[in-house]
């Protein structure tokens, strides 16, 4: 490592430059105040991410942001990454930094227009009106959840259950219904759905079975199946056996992470060979865990002239959307939030297009506000018999 030196208590300029660009260099020595009255003003701490000295009173806040994004200012973040070339490639003409932070609506319209998608809508009014009462029903049933954020979980679950209930009300259930929950964990969501739509066959898929789960409630029942494996390992024969002859299948997943979501959509579209009517309801989550080789939206990325490297950048920077949850304010931070939101939009609607190409009627929409969950895009797909 390189040790900097100081002149009259101030680090040498050449040493500062080296410190900023040399990975993990040792911090400069602390600045010595000239008198007790200046000690509070001169107290600083060294940031080993951006190699700046930060006033001690602001250091904790600075370090949290700096470690996540690698720089002090969002403008630096954008300049130092492939954001502008990437957006320019999609649009077919240059996008500059001032566009991103000063004229965002125009940039977003250009990008989404080139991608072949429009802005996402929210919940239909008829569903929105039922949400408060549905949350109360879910809260009474949600006995397994003991987290501080349980109300936010209940709100999301209530909306998903209402979507499924609404679709089932338009279909014939004479031949039975099979609910397949991927990433089921304790199975609470499927258990709640029984109270909304009546008894169905249930298939819970997850590699983990927690101590608190609904399995005991269905012990010995022929309509309950637990598959302790990854969704990509579940076979069509296992699904047919668990369905007990049902000709209506609902596949759901609340915040299914990364590549598991792509595996689920691929299984529904082709792998499980589902017969009869099919409905899929999934809220996207953890895009940064997705894998290019498994991603079902590859075709759309390639059509836009993007590569696997561009895919990696987009999935990893969906997290910029979460800047809105921070106490950071101002035009630059709003710009990062908008970029993250746009990346999430492009990532998720590419999955939507894959399911549409596989013969499903699809819809992507914002199912709740960002103060409930930042991962608030839901995809529904349905296919007639």
């Amino acid at each position: 490592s390189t040790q900097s030196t100081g002149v009259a208590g101030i680090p040498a300029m050449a040493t500062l430059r080296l410190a900023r660009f040399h990975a993990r260099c040792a911090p400069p020595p602390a600045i010595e105040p000239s008198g007790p009255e200046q000690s509070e003003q001169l107290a600083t701490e060294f940031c080993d991410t951006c190699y700046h000295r930060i006033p001690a009173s602001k250091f904790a806040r600075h370090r949290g942001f700096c470690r996540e994004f690698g720089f002090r200012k969002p403008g630096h973040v954008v300049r130092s990454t492939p954001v502008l070339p990437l957006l320019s490639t999609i649009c077919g003409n240059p996008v500059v930094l001032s566009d991103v932070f000063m004229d965002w609506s125009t940039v977003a319209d250009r990008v989404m227009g080139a991608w072949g998608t429009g802005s996402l809508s929210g919940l239909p009014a008829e569903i929105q009106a039922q949400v408060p009462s549905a949350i109360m029903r879910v809260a009474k049933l949600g006995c397994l959840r003991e987290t501080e954020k349980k109300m936010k979980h209940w709100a999301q679950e209530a909306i998903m259950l209402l979507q499924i209930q609404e679709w089932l009300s338009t279909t014939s259930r004479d031949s039975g219904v099979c609910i397949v929950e991927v990433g089921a964990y304790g199975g609470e969501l499927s258990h709640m759905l029984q109270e909304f739509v009546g008894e169905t066959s249930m298939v819970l898929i997850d590699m983990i079975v927690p101590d608190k789960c609904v399995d005991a409630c269905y012990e010995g029942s022929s309509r309950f199946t637990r598959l302790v494996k990854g969704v990509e390992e579940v076979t069509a024969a296992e699904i047919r056996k668990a369905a007990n002859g049902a000709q209506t299948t609902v596949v759901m997943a609340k915040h299914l992470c990364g590549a598991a979501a792509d595996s689920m959509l691929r299984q529904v579209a082709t792998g499980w060979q589902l017969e009869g009517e099919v409905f899929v309801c999934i809220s996207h989550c953890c895009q940064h865990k997705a894998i290019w080789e498994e991603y079902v939206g590859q075709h759309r990325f390639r059509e836009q002239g993007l590569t696997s490297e561009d895919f990696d950048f987009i999935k990893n920077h969906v997290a910029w959307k979460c800047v809105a949850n921070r106490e950071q304010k101002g035009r630059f931070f709003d710009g990062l939030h908008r970029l993250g939101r746009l990346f999430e939009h492009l990532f998720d609607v590419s999955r939507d297009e894959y399911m549409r190409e596989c013969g499903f009627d699809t819809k992507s929409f914002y199912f709740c506000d960002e103060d409930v969950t930042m991962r608030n895009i839901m995809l529904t797909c349905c296919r007639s018999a």
Side-chain angles (χ1 to χ4, degrees):
S1 61
T2 304
Q3 180 67 36
S4 61
T5 58
V7 178
I10 301 175
M13 183 59 68
T15 305
L16 277 178
R17 289 173 179 165
L18 181 62
R20 289 170 183 168
F21 294 102
H22 192 283
R24 301 297 174 186
C25 66
I31 299 175
E32 295 294 337
S34 60
E37 68 283 356
Q38 296 183 3
S39 60
E40 185 174 345
Q41 298 178 9
L42 296 178
T44 62
E45 294 191 51
F46 180 77
C47 177
D48 59 0
T49 300
C50 67
Y51 303 109
H52 284 76
R53 278 199 167 277
I54 309 300
S57 60
K58 301 179 180 180
F59 183 73
R61 181 178 178 182
H62 164 87
R63 182 174 57 179
F65 184 83
C66 198
R67 283 185 175 176
E68 181 162 351
F69 295 109
F71 298 87
R72 291 183 65 188
K73 296 181 180 179
H76 295 170
V77 179
V78 174
R79 284 195 193 97
S80 63
T81 62
V83 170
L84 300 178
L86 190 152
L87 296 180
S88 299
T89 298
I90 296 173
C91 293
N93 47 54
V95 175
V96 298
L97 186 67
S98 60
D99 292 338
V100 172
F101 292 113
M102 303 294 290
D103 191 20
W104 176 251
S105 60
T106 301
V107 174
D109 288 343
R110 286 165 59 192
V111 171
M112 289 190 289
W115 202 271
T117 179
S119 300
L120 301 185
S121 62
L123 274 179
E126 59 272 18
I127 297 291
Q128 187 67 53
Q130 302 176 56
V131 170
S133 59
I135 292 176
M136 296 301 295
R137 292 177 66 186
V138 166
K140 293 178 181 179
L141 298 169
C143 56
L144 299 182
R145 181 161 286 115
E146 298 178 355
T147 67
E148 295 179 359
K149 298 181 179 179
K150 58 186 177 182
M151 183 56 72
K152 293 186 176 183
H153 286 288
W154 288 335
Q156 297 168 59
E157 289 161 351
I159 293 169
M160 180 170 283
L161 296 177
L162 286 173
Q163 293 286 337
I164 297 170
Q165 183 183 43
E166 176 72 13
W167 181 78
L168 284 174
S169 68
T170 65
T171 64
S172 173
R173 300 175 54 187
D174 296 338
S175 57
V177 177
C178 178
I179 304 297
V180 181
E181 184 181 358
V182 182
Y185 198 58
E188 190 175 30
L189 186 59
S190 292
H191 181 63
M192 292 174 179
L193 187 58
Q194 306 298 299
E195 300 295 328
F196 276 69
V197 302
E199 289 190 358
T200 70
S201 296
M202 293 169 54
V203 184
L204 306 185
I205 302 173
D206 203 315
M207 298 179 69
I208 300 174
V209 183
D211 293 335
K212 290 186 177 181
C213 61
V214 302
D215 298 39
C217 301
Y218 301 94
E219 187 174 358
S221 173
S222 61
R223 63 187 182 89
F224 177 85
T225 304
R226 164 79 74 169
L227 299 176
V228 186
K229 56 176 67 178
V231 62
E232 70 282 357
E233 301 173 325
V234 177
T235 65
E238 289 175 313
I239 295 296
R240 280 195 297 270
K241 180 180 179 180
N244 294 313
Q247 291 298 302
T248 300
T249 306
V250 175
V251 183
M252 61 181 182
K254 173 175 165 282
H255 293 311
L256 189 60
C257 293
D262 297 301
S263 296
M264 187 198 88
L265 294 176
R266 188 177 291 105
Q267 290 279 49
V268 170
T270 59
W272 289 339
Q273 303 170 9
L274 299 175
E275 299 177 352
E277 296 180 292
V278 180
F279 182 75
V280 180
C281 186
I282 178 175
S283 56
H284 306 274
C285 189
C286 297
Q287 288 86 348
H288 64 281
K289 295 182 179 179
I291 302 171
W292 172 251
E293 290 75 18
E294 300 292 330
Y295 183 56
V296 296
Q298 280 188 31
H299 176 65
R300 167 52 64 187
F301 273 70
R302 290 197 178 103
E303 280 190 344
Q304 297 302 141
L306 304 181
T307 66
S308 59
E309 288 76 15
D310 297 318
F311 168 81
D312 288 337
F313 178 83
I314 287 177
K315 72 169 187 177
N316 290 330
H317 289 79
V318 169
W320 279 350
K321 181 182 178 182
C322 299
V323 171
N325 266 3
R326 302 177 178 277
E327 296 179 356
Q328 310 287 355
K329 304 295 181 183
R331 185 173 67 247
F332 289 116
F333 295 96
D334 290 342
L336 281 189
H337 169 254
R338 293 175 188 136
L339 279 168
R341 187 170 177 171
L342 176 64
F343 290 154
E344 180 183 49
H345 179 120
L346 301 181
F347 189 98
D348 294 347
V349 298
S350 297
R351 288 172 169 167
D352 181 311
E353 182 170 329
Y354 167 81
M355 294 301 288
R356 191 162 60 249
E357 291 174 349
C358 291
F360 287 79
D361 294 325
T362 64
K363 182 180 180 181
S364 291
F365 56 95
Y366 292 112
F367 71 98
C368 65
D369 294 332
E370 290 182 0
D371 58 353
V372 176
T373 174
M374 296 301 291
R375 301 291 178 251
N376 62 339
I377 296 181
M378 181 174 285
L379 168 63
T380 60
C381 316
C382 61
R383 188 187 67 194
S384 301

